[in-house]
Amino acid sequence: MHAADRLFELARERALLTSAASVLGWDQETYLPLRGVAWRARQLAWLSARAHELATSREWLATLEEAEVQNDGADPVLSANLREFRHETDRATRLPVELVARASETSSLAKQAWAEARKKSDFSIFRDHLDAMVDIAREKADHWGYATEPYDALVAGYERGADTAKLSSRLDPLRDPLRELAAQAVARSAEHPVDLPDGPYPADTQRRLNREIAESVGFDFEAGRIDTVTHPFCTGLGPYDTRLTTRYRENDFTDSLFGVLHEAGHGLYDQGLPAPDFGLPAGSPISLGIHESQSRLWENHVGGSRAFWERWLPRAAALFPCLAPLGLDDFLAAVRRAEFSCIRVEADEATYDLHILLRFDLERRIMRGELAVDDIPAAWNDGFRELFGFVPPDDANGCLQDIHWAMGGFGYFATYSLGNINAAQLCAAARLDPVVSAACDKADYLPLLGWMRERVHRHGSVHFPDDLVRRATGADPSTADYLAHLKRRYL
């Protein structure tokens, strides 16, 4: 047997463990009874440990090394699989077991402290835990290695081929244009405020509409489903098994609907990956910035378009009679309203990236040692004032609002803006195809999905994110299409 064949067998064995853990994780968020949480934690810990042991075992390391020696580079997919396996293996094996265990325990305590600190809006409760998480992040970066600064090693865990300098070159120039655009968009929305009726929007009827819309954009319900949770997410449990989740507010049906479009975007990507390669890099998404591009594309570029609501507003009004008096222009003004918000997850499309730029700036300064943990609340407020023109009323609405740092997710936030940027460039390129463009104008999005399947989904992790965008669009990654999209929609 060729070493690569044995390596793939081991990878698929690991995928059985991780996908089983994913099923248990999904069940924990949806149907698990409260008293079952402790046992579920033990189940997940056992599966995670076995998967980690397999991926760092002597057999795995020896087989990977043999496959690399045997590879002649003639098969680009094989080469990409070996490249990504090497990346994952190096990052896993360079961390001492003691550090992995300490990071897990510290994060568990940090998440508890964060929840209490946010509830009481008291940074001091979280301060020591955050300090410990920052130290662990720097320690991990030292073990992983980096070219210029520790933040490079952290970013590489979420966005392949990226480093601090590359992200800075793409995001920093957006600061002034987005700040100006957001201010204008907010002022314009305030001139003609429109509110949607408060309902009622029965949850069962919302479920019906959400399913119809998800089916219309191509989500395969024979290979997936939608369930109800407190914090929506999408997870792929295996080939032909993708789970979407959402939540319902009976005074606002758009919260659930746009959430389903967002998660369906993630789900369509998962359903478009090569199923026979599940468990291999060739059957896995390449980065969070690409994954997020798919959710943002369907949520914002499709779900926020006039053509989409020309088709679906009459159906929504039939299901929710309170919408019947509302014209299309007023409805669009309501769902596209731009407002400054303290909370990132509540931000509209015009102001969202300002929240990311704030976090990206702070994270770089923290990891460089330029910003002490004690000074984070004040630095947050100063940066927020510069971007938004006012200061959050308290830390719960400021530096304590996100759980990412308690989880050790330094370097994660930038991928949200990369997703917005990538979505705009991919959508603009797809609309250059006359068949795709004509269909989108009629709210037929299957040709758009087919374009994404061919240009993005089927490639898995064969190409790095920038190269994937370049191949798909015929142009270097750029923020131009994103800024143009925001200007068209809001100004």
mmCIF file with all atom_site columns, all heavy atoms in Angstrom, residues 269 272-274 286 290-291 293-294 426 450-461 463 468-469 472:
data_model
loop_
_atom_site.group_PDB
_atom_site.id
_atom_site.type_symbol
_atom_site.label_atom_id
_atom_site.label_alt_id
_atom_site.label_comp_id
_atom_site.label_asym_id
_atom_site.label_entity_id
_atom_site.label_seq_id
_atom_site.pdbx_PDB_ins_code
_atom_site.Cartn_x
_atom_site.Cartn_y
_atom_site.Cartn_z
_atom_site.occupancy
_atom_site.B_iso_or_equiv
_atom_site.pdbx_formal_charge
_atom_site.auth_seq_id
_atom_site.auth_comp_id
_atom_site.auth_asym_id
_atom_site.auth_atom_id
_atom_site.pdbx_PDB_model_num
ATOM 1   N N   . TYR A 1 269 ? -21.975 25.465 1.535   1.00 0.00 ? 269 TYR A N   1
ATOM 2   C CA  . TYR A 1 269 ? -20.538 25.210 1.354   1.00 0.00 ? 269 TYR A CA  1
ATOM 3   C C   . TYR A 1 269 ? -20.215 23.774 1.782   1.00 0.00 ? 269 TYR A C   1
ATOM 4   O O   . TYR A 1 269 ? -19.566 23.017 1.051   1.00 0.00 ? 269 TYR A O   1
ATOM 5   C CB  . TYR A 1 269 ? -19.745 26.232 2.174   1.00 0.00 ? 269 TYR A CB  1
ATOM 6   C CG  . TYR A 1 269 ? -18.244 26.234 1.975   1.00 0.00 ? 269 TYR A CG  1
ATOM 7   C CD1 . TYR A 1 269 ? -17.619 25.569 0.924   1.00 0.00 ? 269 TYR A CD1 1
ATOM 8   C CD2 . TYR A 1 269 ? -17.431 26.925 2.866   1.00 0.00 ? 269 TYR A CD2 1
ATOM 9   C CE1 . TYR A 1 269 ? -16.235 25.593 0.765   1.00 0.00 ? 269 TYR A CE1 1
ATOM 10  C CE2 . TYR A 1 269 ? -16.044 26.968 2.717   1.00 0.00 ? 269 TYR A CE2 1
ATOM 11  C CZ  . TYR A 1 269 ? -15.453 26.294 1.673   1.00 0.00 ? 269 TYR A CZ  1
ATOM 12  O OH  . TYR A 1 269 ? -14.091 26.321 1.516   1.00 0.00 ? 269 TYR A OH  1
ATOM 13  N N   . GLY A 1 272 ? -21.428 21.283 -0.610  1.00 0.00 ? 272 GLY A N   1
ATOM 14  C CA  . GLY A 1 272 ? -20.739 21.340 -1.891  1.00 0.00 ? 272 GLY A CA  1
ATOM 15  C C   . GLY A 1 272 ? -19.328 20.791 -1.867  1.00 0.00 ? 272 GLY A C   1
ATOM 16  O O   . GLY A 1 272 ? -18.687 20.655 -2.919  1.00 0.00 ? 272 GLY A O   1
ATOM 17  N N   . LEU A 1 273 ? -18.812 20.472 -0.671  1.00 0.00 ? 273 LEU A N   1
ATOM 18  C CA  . LEU A 1 273 ? -17.474 19.883 -0.575  1.00 0.00 ? 273 LEU A CA  1
ATOM 19  C C   . LEU A 1 273 ? -17.505 18.445 -1.090  1.00 0.00 ? 273 LEU A C   1
ATOM 20  O O   . LEU A 1 273 ? -18.541 17.778 -1.005  1.00 0.00 ? 273 LEU A O   1
ATOM 21  C CB  . LEU A 1 273 ? -16.995 19.908 0.878   1.00 0.00 ? 273 LEU A CB  1
ATOM 22  C CG  . LEU A 1 273 ? -16.734 21.292 1.477   1.00 0.00 ? 273 LEU A CG  1
ATOM 23  C CD1 . LEU A 1 273 ? -16.607 21.193 3.004   1.00 0.00 ? 273 LEU A CD1 1
ATOM 24  C CD2 . LEU A 1 273 ? -15.471 21.912 0.886   1.00 0.00 ? 273 LEU A CD2 1
ATOM 25  N N   . PRO A 1 274 ? -16.411 17.944 -1.631  1.00 0.00 ? 274 PRO A N   1
ATOM 26  C CA  . PRO A 1 274 ? -16.394 16.576 -2.172  1.00 0.00 ? 274 PRO A CA  1
ATOM 27  C C   . PRO A 1 274 ? -16.642 15.540 -1.073  1.00 0.00 ? 274 PRO A C   1
ATOM 28  O O   . PRO A 1 274 ? -15.779 15.299 -0.226  1.00 0.00 ? 274 PRO A O   1
ATOM 29  C CB  . PRO A 1 274 ? -14.979 16.437 -2.759  1.00 0.00 ? 274 PRO A CB  1
ATOM 30  C CG  . PRO A 1 274 ? -14.490 17.832 -2.957  1.00 0.00 ? 274 PRO A CG  1
ATOM 31  C CD  . PRO A 1 274 ? -15.122 18.639 -1.860  1.00 0.00 ? 274 PRO A CD  1
ATOM 32  N N   . ILE A 1 286 ? -11.192 25.539 3.450   1.00 0.00 ? 286 ILE A N   1
ATOM 33  C CA  . ILE A 1 286 ? -9.816  25.983 3.578   1.00 0.00 ? 286 ILE A CA  1
ATOM 34  C C   . ILE A 1 286 ? -9.619  26.997 4.693   1.00 0.00 ? 286 ILE A C   1
ATOM 35  O O   . ILE A 1 286 ? -8.568  27.043 5.308   1.00 0.00 ? 286 ILE A O   1
ATOM 36  C CB  . ILE A 1 286 ? -9.289  26.567 2.238   1.00 0.00 ? 286 ILE A CB  1
ATOM 37  C CG1 . ILE A 1 286 ? -7.828  26.998 2.347   1.00 0.00 ? 286 ILE A CG1 1
ATOM 38  C CG2 . ILE A 1 286 ? -10.155 27.720 1.763   1.00 0.00 ? 286 ILE A CG2 1
ATOM 39  C CD1 . ILE A 1 286 ? -6.880  25.901 2.757   1.00 0.00 ? 286 ILE A CD1 1
ATOM 40  N N   . ILE A 1 290 ? -13.081 32.134 3.978   1.00 0.00 ? 290 ILE A N   1
ATOM 41  C CA  . ILE A 1 290 ? -13.832 31.600 2.840   1.00 0.00 ? 290 ILE A CA  1
ATOM 42  C C   . ILE A 1 290 ? -15.182 31.080 3.305   1.00 0.00 ? 290 ILE A C   1
ATOM 43  O O   . ILE A 1 290 ? -16.217 31.313 2.662   1.00 0.00 ? 290 ILE A O   1
ATOM 44  C CB  . ILE A 1 290 ? -13.030 30.497 2.132   1.00 0.00 ? 290 ILE A CB  1
ATOM 45  C CG1 . ILE A 1 290 ? -11.754 31.083 1.503   1.00 0.00 ? 290 ILE A CG1 1
ATOM 46  C CG2 . ILE A 1 290 ? -13.883 29.826 1.059   1.00 0.00 ? 290 ILE A CG2 1
ATOM 47  C CD1 . ILE A 1 290 ? -11.992 32.138 0.442   1.00 0.00 ? 290 ILE A CD1 1
ATOM 48  N N   . HIS A 1 291 ? -15.194 30.379 4.424   1.00 0.00 ? 291 HIS A N   1
ATOM 49  C CA  . HIS A 1 291 ? -16.476 29.870 4.944   1.00 0.00 ? 291 HIS A CA  1
ATOM 50  C C   . HIS A 1 291 ? -17.428 31.034 5.216   1.00 0.00 ? 291 HIS A C   1
ATOM 51  O O   . HIS A 1 291 ? -18.614 30.995 4.862   1.00 0.00 ? 291 HIS A O   1
ATOM 52  C CB  . HIS A 1 291 ? -16.242 29.070 6.222   1.00 0.00 ? 291 HIS A CB  1
ATOM 53  C CG  . HIS A 1 291 ? -17.028 27.796 6.276   1.00 0.00 ? 291 HIS A CG  1
ATOM 54  N ND1 . HIS A 1 291 ? -18.368 27.730 5.960   1.00 0.00 ? 291 HIS A ND1 1
ATOM 55  C CD2 . HIS A 1 291 ? -16.663 26.522 6.600   1.00 0.00 ? 291 HIS A CD2 1
ATOM 56  C CE1 . HIS A 1 291 ? -18.798 26.483 6.099   1.00 0.00 ? 291 HIS A CE1 1
ATOM 57  N NE2 . HIS A 1 291 ? -17.779 25.736 6.478   1.00 0.00 ? 291 HIS A NE2 1
ATOM 58  N N   . SER A 1 293 ? -17.405 33.895 3.835   1.00 0.00 ? 293 SER A N   1
ATOM 59  C CA  . SER A 1 293 ? -17.811 34.534 2.580   1.00 0.00 ? 293 SER A CA  1
ATOM 60  C C   . SER A 1 293 ? -19.106 33.925 2.058   1.00 0.00 ? 293 SER A C   1
ATOM 61  O O   . SER A 1 293 ? -19.945 34.627 1.474   1.00 0.00 ? 293 SER A O   1
ATOM 62  C CB  . SER A 1 293 ? -16.707 34.398 1.520   1.00 0.00 ? 293 SER A CB  1
ATOM 63  O OG  . SER A 1 293 ? -16.686 33.112 0.920   1.00 0.00 ? 293 SER A OG  1
ATOM 64  N N   . GLN A 1 294 ? -19.268 32.628 2.265   1.00 0.00 ? 294 GLN A N   1
ATOM 65  C CA  . GLN A 1 294 ? -20.472 31.960 1.769   1.00 0.00 ? 294 GLN A CA  1
ATOM 66  C C   . GLN A 1 294 ? -21.699 32.337 2.586   1.00 0.00 ? 294 GLN A C   1
ATOM 67  O O   . GLN A 1 294 ? -22.778 32.565 2.047   1.00 0.00 ? 294 GLN A O   1
ATOM 68  C CB  . GLN A 1 294 ? -20.254 30.449 1.769   1.00 0.00 ? 294 GLN A CB  1
ATOM 69  C CG  . GLN A 1 294 ? -19.109 30.007 0.882   1.00 0.00 ? 294 GLN A CG  1
ATOM 70  C CD  . GLN A 1 294 ? -19.263 30.482 -0.545  1.00 0.00 ? 294 GLN A CD  1
ATOM 71  O OE1 . GLN A 1 294 ? -20.127 30.018 -1.291  1.00 0.00 ? 294 GLN A OE1 1
ATOM 72  N NE2 . GLN A 1 294 ? -18.445 31.439 -0.955  1.00 0.00 ? 294 GLN A NE2 1
ATOM 73  N N   . LEU A 1 426 ? -16.546 37.639 -4.872  1.00 0.00 ? 426 LEU A N   1
ATOM 74  C CA  . LEU A 1 426 ? -17.086 36.445 -5.511  1.00 0.00 ? 426 LEU A CA  1
ATOM 75  C C   . LEU A 1 426 ? -18.436 36.726 -6.158  1.00 0.00 ? 426 LEU A C   1
ATOM 76  O O   . LEU A 1 426 ? -18.705 36.281 -7.283  1.00 0.00 ? 426 LEU A O   1
ATOM 77  C CB  . LEU A 1 426 ? -17.215 35.319 -4.485  1.00 0.00 ? 426 LEU A CB  1
ATOM 78  C CG  . LEU A 1 426 ? -15.910 34.717 -3.979  1.00 0.00 ? 426 LEU A CG  1
ATOM 79  C CD1 . LEU A 1 426 ? -16.165 33.839 -2.758  1.00 0.00 ? 426 LEU A CD1 1
ATOM 80  C CD2 . LEU A 1 426 ? -15.223 33.911 -5.083  1.00 0.00 ? 426 LEU A CD2 1
ATOM 81  N N   . GLY A 1 450 ? -24.556 27.077 -8.428  1.00 0.00 ? 450 GLY A N   1
ATOM 82  C CA  . GLY A 1 450 ? -23.735 26.267 -9.320  1.00 0.00 ? 450 GLY A CA  1
ATOM 83  C C   . GLY A 1 450 ? -22.379 26.901 -9.583  1.00 0.00 ? 450 GLY A C   1
ATOM 84  O O   . GLY A 1 450 ? -21.353 26.210 -9.653  1.00 0.00 ? 450 GLY A O   1
ATOM 85  N N   . TRP A 1 451 ? -22.357 28.225 -9.704  1.00 0.00 ? 451 TRP A N   1
ATOM 86  C CA  . TRP A 1 451 ? -21.092 28.946 -9.908  1.00 0.00 ? 451 TRP A CA  1
ATOM 87  C C   . TRP A 1 451 ? -20.196 28.766 -8.686  1.00 0.00 ? 451 TRP A C   1
ATOM 88  O O   . TRP A 1 451 ? -18.996 28.516 -8.820  1.00 0.00 ? 451 TRP A O   1
ATOM 89  C CB  . TRP A 1 451 ? -21.401 30.425 -10.146 1.00 0.00 ? 451 TRP A CB  1
ATOM 90  C CG  . TRP A 1 451 ? -20.271 31.251 -10.659 1.00 0.00 ? 451 TRP A CG  1
ATOM 91  C CD1 . TRP A 1 451 ? -19.999 31.560 -11.962 1.00 0.00 ? 451 TRP A CD1 1
ATOM 92  C CD2 . TRP A 1 451 ? -19.251 31.913 -9.872  1.00 0.00 ? 451 TRP A CD2 1
ATOM 93  N NE1 . TRP A 1 451 ? -18.882 32.368 -12.041 1.00 0.00 ? 451 TRP A NE1 1
ATOM 94  C CE2 . TRP A 1 451 ? -18.404 32.598 -10.789 1.00 0.00 ? 451 TRP A CE2 1
ATOM 95  C CE3 . TRP A 1 451 ? -18.980 31.998 -8.511  1.00 0.00 ? 451 TRP A CE3 1
ATOM 96  C CZ2 . TRP A 1 451 ? -17.307 33.353 -10.356 1.00 0.00 ? 451 TRP A CZ2 1
ATOM 97  C CZ3 . TRP A 1 451 ? -17.882 32.730 -8.087  1.00 0.00 ? 451 TRP A CZ3 1
ATOM 98  C CH2 . TRP A 1 451 ? -17.060 33.400 -9.004  1.00 0.00 ? 451 TRP A CH2 1
ATOM 99  N N   . MET A 1 452 ? -20.765 28.901 -7.496  1.00 0.00 ? 452 MET A N   1
ATOM 100 C CA  . MET A 1 452 ? -19.983 28.726 -6.267  1.00 0.00 ? 452 MET A CA  1
ATOM 101 C C   . MET A 1 452 ? -19.514 27.288 -6.111  1.00 0.00 ? 452 MET A C   1
ATOM 102 O O   . MET A 1 452 ? -18.384 27.039 -5.661  1.00 0.00 ? 452 MET A O   1
ATOM 103 C CB  . MET A 1 452 ? -20.812 29.130 -5.037  1.00 0.00 ? 452 MET A CB  1
ATOM 104 C CG  . MET A 1 452 ? -21.141 30.604 -4.968  1.00 0.00 ? 452 MET A CG  1
ATOM 105 S SD  . MET A 1 452 ? -19.662 31.636 -4.764  1.00 0.00 ? 452 MET A SD  1
ATOM 106 C CE  . MET A 1 452 ? -20.317 33.221 -5.295  1.00 0.00 ? 452 MET A CE  1
ATOM 107 N N   . ARG A 1 453 ? -20.357 26.339 -6.473  1.00 0.00 ? 453 ARG A N   1
ATOM 108 C CA  . ARG A 1 453 ? -19.953 24.937 -6.405  1.00 0.00 ? 453 ARG A CA  1
ATOM 109 C C   . ARG A 1 453 ? -18.699 24.702 -7.250  1.00 0.00 ? 453 ARG A C   1
ATOM 110 O O   . ARG A 1 453 ? -17.751 24.043 -6.804  1.00 0.00 ? 453 ARG A O   1
ATOM 111 C CB  . ARG A 1 453 ? -21.083 24.051 -6.936  1.00 0.00 ? 453 ARG A CB  1
ATOM 112 C CG  . ARG A 1 453 ? -22.300 23.961 -6.046  1.00 0.00 ? 453 ARG A CG  1
ATOM 113 C CD  . ARG A 1 453 ? -22.160 22.811 -5.071  1.00 0.00 ? 453 ARG A CD  1
ATOM 114 N NE  . ARG A 1 453 ? -23.424 22.485 -4.444  1.00 0.00 ? 453 ARG A NE  1
ATOM 115 C CZ  . ARG A 1 453 ? -23.808 22.876 -3.256  1.00 0.00 ? 453 ARG A CZ  1
ATOM 116 N NH1 . ARG A 1 453 ? -23.024 23.667 -2.546  1.00 0.00 ? 453 ARG A NH1 1
ATOM 117 N NH2 . ARG A 1 453 ? -24.954 22.502 -2.738  1.00 0.00 ? 453 ARG A NH2 1
ATOM 118 N N   . GLU A 1 454 ? -18.716 25.223 -8.483  1.00 0.00 ? 454 GLU A N   1
ATOM 119 C CA  . GLU A 1 454 ? -17.622 24.996 -9.420  1.00 0.00 ? 454 GLU A CA  1
ATOM 120 C C   . GLU A 1 454 ? -16.373 25.766 -9.046  1.00 0.00 ? 454 GLU A C   1
ATOM 121 O O   . GLU A 1 454 ? -15.251 25.234 -9.120  1.00 0.00 ? 454 GLU A O   1
ATOM 122 C CB  . GLU A 1 454 ? -18.068 25.394 -10.830 1.00 0.00 ? 454 GLU A CB  1
ATOM 123 C CG  . GLU A 1 454 ? -16.993 25.310 -11.900 1.00 0.00 ? 454 GLU A CG  1
ATOM 124 C CD  . GLU A 1 454 ? -16.478 23.903 -12.134 1.00 0.00 ? 454 GLU A CD  1
ATOM 125 O OE1 . GLU A 1 454 ? -17.221 22.942 -11.844 1.00 0.00 ? 454 GLU A OE1 1
ATOM 126 O OE2 . GLU A 1 454 ? -15.333 23.761 -12.591 1.00 0.00 ? 454 GLU A OE2 1
ATOM 127 N N   . ARG A 1 455 ? -16.520 27.023 -8.623  1.00 0.00 ? 455 ARG A N   1
ATOM 128 C CA  . ARG A 1 455 ? -15.359 27.892 -8.403  1.00 0.00 ? 455 ARG A CA  1
ATOM 129 C C   . ARG A 1 455 ? -14.797 27.825 -6.980  1.00 0.00 ? 455 ARG A C   1
ATOM 130 O O   . ARG A 1 455 ? -13.609 28.130 -6.792  1.00 0.00 ? 455 ARG A O   1
ATOM 131 C CB  . ARG A 1 455 ? -15.740 29.352 -8.706  1.00 0.00 ? 455 ARG A CB  1
ATOM 132 C CG  . ARG A 1 455 ? -16.328 29.603 -10.096 1.00 0.00 ? 455 ARG A CG  1
ATOM 133 C CD  . ARG A 1 455 ? -15.314 29.405 -11.200 1.00 0.00 ? 455 ARG A CD  1
ATOM 134 N NE  . ARG A 1 455 ? -15.857 29.755 -12.498 1.00 0.00 ? 455 ARG A NE  1
ATOM 135 C CZ  . ARG A 1 455 ? -15.685 30.935 -13.092 1.00 0.00 ? 455 ARG A CZ  1
ATOM 136 N NH1 . ARG A 1 455 ? -14.958 31.873 -12.496 1.00 0.00 ? 455 ARG A NH1 1
ATOM 137 N NH2 . ARG A 1 455 ? -16.223 31.174 -14.268 1.00 0.00 ? 455 ARG A NH2 1
ATOM 138 N N   . VAL A 1 456 ? -15.642 27.459 -6.005  1.00 0.00 ? 456 VAL A N   1
ATOM 139 C CA  . VAL A 1 456 ? -15.215 27.527 -4.603  1.00 0.00 ? 456 VAL A CA  1
ATOM 140 C C   . VAL A 1 456 ? -15.353 26.179 -3.901  1.00 0.00 ? 456 VAL A C   1
ATOM 141 O O   . VAL A 1 456 ? -14.373 25.596 -3.432  1.00 0.00 ? 456 VAL A O   1
ATOM 142 C CB  . VAL A 1 456 ? -16.002 28.612 -3.838  1.00 0.00 ? 456 VAL A CB  1
ATOM 143 C CG1 . VAL A 1 456 ? -15.575 28.658 -2.364  1.00 0.00 ? 456 VAL A CG1 1
ATOM 144 C CG2 . VAL A 1 456 ? -15.813 29.980 -4.483  1.00 0.00 ? 456 VAL A CG2 1
ATOM 145 N N   . HIS A 1 457 ? -16.570 25.664 -3.828  1.00 0.00 ? 457 HIS A N   1
ATOM 146 C CA  . HIS A 1 457 ? -16.858 24.539 -2.939  1.00 0.00 ? 457 HIS A CA  1
ATOM 147 C C   . HIS A 1 457 ? -16.055 23.290 -3.268  1.00 0.00 ? 457 HIS A C   1
ATOM 148 O O   . HIS A 1 457 ? -15.474 22.657 -2.373  1.00 0.00 ? 457 HIS A O   1
ATOM 149 C CB  . HIS A 1 457 ? -18.346 24.198 -2.979  1.00 0.00 ? 457 HIS A CB  1
ATOM 150 C CG  . HIS A 1 457 ? -19.242 25.330 -2.599  1.00 0.00 ? 457 HIS A CG  1
ATOM 151 N ND1 . HIS A 1 457 ? -20.625 25.250 -2.679  1.00 0.00 ? 457 HIS A ND1 1
ATOM 152 C CD2 . HIS A 1 457 ? -18.976 26.581 -2.143  1.00 0.00 ? 457 HIS A CD2 1
ATOM 153 C CE1 . HIS A 1 457 ? -21.160 26.394 -2.286  1.00 0.00 ? 457 HIS A CE1 1
ATOM 154 N NE2 . HIS A 1 457 ? -20.176 27.217 -1.953  1.00 0.00 ? 457 HIS A NE2 1
ATOM 155 N N   . ARG A 1 458 ? -16.029 22.905 -4.525  1.00 0.00 ? 458 ARG A N   1
ATOM 156 C CA  . ARG A 1 458 ? -15.463 21.604 -4.888  1.00 0.00 ? 458 ARG A CA  1
ATOM 157 C C   . ARG A 1 458 ? -13.953 21.513 -4.651  1.00 0.00 ? 458 ARG A C   1
ATOM 158 O O   . ARG A 1 458 ? -13.387 20.424 -4.644  1.00 0.00 ? 458 ARG A O   1
ATOM 159 C CB  . ARG A 1 458 ? -15.778 21.277 -6.347  1.00 0.00 ? 458 ARG A CB  1
ATOM 160 C CG  . ARG A 1 458 ? -14.992 22.068 -7.383  1.00 0.00 ? 458 ARG A CG  1
ATOM 161 C CD  . ARG A 1 458 ? -15.380 21.658 -8.792  1.00 0.00 ? 458 ARG A CD  1
ATOM 162 N NE  . ARG A 1 458 ? -14.597 22.361 -9.808  1.00 0.00 ? 458 ARG A NE  1
ATOM 163 C CZ  . ARG A 1 458 ? -13.427 21.916 -10.279 1.00 0.00 ? 458 ARG A CZ  1
ATOM 164 N NH1 . ARG A 1 458 ? -12.911 20.796 -9.814  1.00 0.00 ? 458 ARG A NH1 1
ATOM 165 N NH2 . ARG A 1 458 ? -12.782 22.601 -11.207 1.00 0.00 ? 458 ARG A NH2 1
ATOM 166 N N   . HIS A 1 459 ? -13.308 22.662 -4.443  1.00 0.00 ? 459 HIS A N   1
ATOM 167 C CA  . HIS A 1 459 ? -11.855 22.661 -4.290  1.00 0.00 ? 459 HIS A CA  1
ATOM 168 C C   . HIS A 1 459 ? -11.405 22.375 -2.856  1.00 0.00 ? 459 HIS A C   1
ATOM 169 O O   . HIS A 1 459 ? -10.206 22.161 -2.639  1.00 0.00 ? 459 HIS A O   1
ATOM 170 C CB  . HIS A 1 459 ? -11.286 24.002 -4.759  1.00 0.00 ? 459 HIS A CB  1
ATOM 171 C CG  . HIS A 1 459 ? -11.517 24.270 -6.205  1.00 0.00 ? 459 HIS A CG  1
ATOM 172 N ND1 . HIS A 1 459 ? -10.842 23.613 -7.201  1.00 0.00 ? 459 HIS A ND1 1
ATOM 173 C CD2 . HIS A 1 459 ? -12.384 25.109 -6.831  1.00 0.00 ? 459 HIS A CD2 1
ATOM 174 C CE1 . HIS A 1 459 ? -11.254 24.039 -8.388  1.00 0.00 ? 459 HIS A CE1 1
ATOM 175 N NE2 . HIS A 1 459 ? -12.201 24.950 -8.184  1.00 0.00 ? 459 HIS A NE2 1
ATOM 176 N N   . GLY A 1 460 ? -12.323 22.389 -1.896  1.00 0.00 ? 460 GLY A N   1
ATOM 177 C CA  . GLY A 1 460 ? -11.936 22.091 -0.531  1.00 0.00 ? 460 GLY A CA  1
ATOM 178 C C   . GLY A 1 460 ? -10.753 22.936 -0.086  1.00 0.00 ? 460 GLY A C   1
ATOM 179 O O   . GLY A 1 460 ? -10.756 24.165 -0.225  1.00 0.00 ? 460 GLY A O   1
ATOM 180 N N   . SER A 1 461 ? -9.719  22.274 0.421   1.00 0.00 ? 461 SER A N   1
ATOM 181 C CA  . SER A 1 461 ? -8.521  22.980 0.889   1.00 0.00 ? 461 SER A CA  1
ATOM 182 C C   . SER A 1 461 ? -7.347  22.830 -0.074  1.00 0.00 ? 461 SER A C   1
ATOM 183 O O   . SER A 1 461 ? -6.185  22.943 0.335   1.00 0.00 ? 461 SER A O   1
ATOM 184 C CB  . SER A 1 461 ? -8.111  22.460 2.276   1.00 0.00 ? 461 SER A CB  1
ATOM 185 O OG  . SER A 1 461 ? -9.062  22.822 3.246   1.00 0.00 ? 461 SER A OG  1
ATOM 186 N N   . HIS A 1 463 ? -6.513  24.829 -2.539  1.00 0.00 ? 463 HIS A N   1
ATOM 187 C CA  . HIS A 1 463 ? -5.875  26.128 -2.763  1.00 0.00 ? 463 HIS A CA  1
ATOM 188 C C   . HIS A 1 463 ? -5.970  26.989 -1.502  1.00 0.00 ? 463 HIS A C   1
ATOM 189 O O   . HIS A 1 463 ? -6.978  26.948 -0.794  1.00 0.00 ? 463 HIS A O   1
ATOM 190 C CB  . HIS A 1 463 ? -6.543  26.863 -3.929  1.00 0.00 ? 463 HIS A CB  1
ATOM 191 C CG  . HIS A 1 463 ? -6.639  26.054 -5.181  1.00 0.00 ? 463 HIS A CG  1
ATOM 192 N ND1 . HIS A 1 463 ? -5.542  25.593 -5.862  1.00 0.00 ? 463 HIS A ND1 1
ATOM 193 C CD2 . HIS A 1 463 ? -7.725  25.603 -5.879  1.00 0.00 ? 463 HIS A CD2 1
ATOM 194 C CE1 . HIS A 1 463 ? -5.921  24.908 -6.927  1.00 0.00 ? 463 HIS A CE1 1
ATOM 195 N NE2 . HIS A 1 463 ? -7.238  24.887 -6.935  1.00 0.00 ? 463 HIS A NE2 1
ATOM 196 N N   . LEU A 1 468 ? -7.570  30.803 -4.077  1.00 0.00 ? 468 LEU A N   1
ATOM 197 C CA  . LEU A 1 468 ? -8.916  30.353 -4.427  1.00 0.00 ? 468 LEU A CA  1
ATOM 198 C C   . LEU A 1 468 ? -9.750  31.511 -4.962  1.00 0.00 ? 468 LEU A C   1
ATOM 199 O O   . LEU A 1 468 ? -10.439 31.390 -5.983  1.00 0.00 ? 468 LEU A O   1
ATOM 200 C CB  . LEU A 1 468 ? -9.590  29.737 -3.196  1.00 0.00 ? 468 LEU A CB  1
ATOM 201 C CG  . LEU A 1 468 ? -10.985 29.149 -3.395  1.00 0.00 ? 468 LEU A CG  1
ATOM 202 C CD1 . LEU A 1 468 ? -10.941 27.965 -4.352  1.00 0.00 ? 468 LEU A CD1 1
ATOM 203 C CD2 . LEU A 1 468 ? -11.575 28.718 -2.049  1.00 0.00 ? 468 LEU A CD2 1
ATOM 204 N N   . VAL A 1 469 ? -9.686  32.660 -4.277  1.00 0.00 ? 469 VAL A N   1
ATOM 205 C CA  . VAL A 1 469 ? -10.418 33.848 -4.741  1.00 0.00 ? 469 VAL A CA  1
ATOM 206 C C   . VAL A 1 469 ? -9.891  34.301 -6.104  1.00 0.00 ? 469 VAL A C   1
ATOM 207 O O   . VAL A 1 469 ? -10.665 34.657 -6.997  1.00 0.00 ? 469 VAL A O   1
ATOM 208 C CB  . VAL A 1 469 ? -10.303 34.982 -3.698  1.00 0.00 ? 469 VAL A CB  1
ATOM 209 C CG1 . VAL A 1 469 ? -10.850 36.293 -4.262  1.00 0.00 ? 469 VAL A CG1 1
ATOM 210 C CG2 . VAL A 1 469 ? -11.036 34.606 -2.423  1.00 0.00 ? 469 VAL A CG2 1
ATOM 211 N N   . ALA A 1 472 ? -11.115 31.945 -8.754  1.00 0.00 ? 472 ALA A N   1
ATOM 212 C CA  . ALA A 1 472 ? -12.564 32.039 -8.943  1.00 0.00 ? 472 ALA A CA  1
ATOM 213 C C   . ALA A 1 472 ? -12.972 33.311 -9.672  1.00 0.00 ? 472 ALA A C   1
ATOM 214 O O   . ALA A 1 472 ? -13.897 33.302 -10.493 1.00 0.00 ? 472 ALA A O   1
ATOM 215 C CB  . ALA A 1 472 ? -13.270 31.963 -7.589  1.00 0.00 ? 472 ALA A CB  1
#
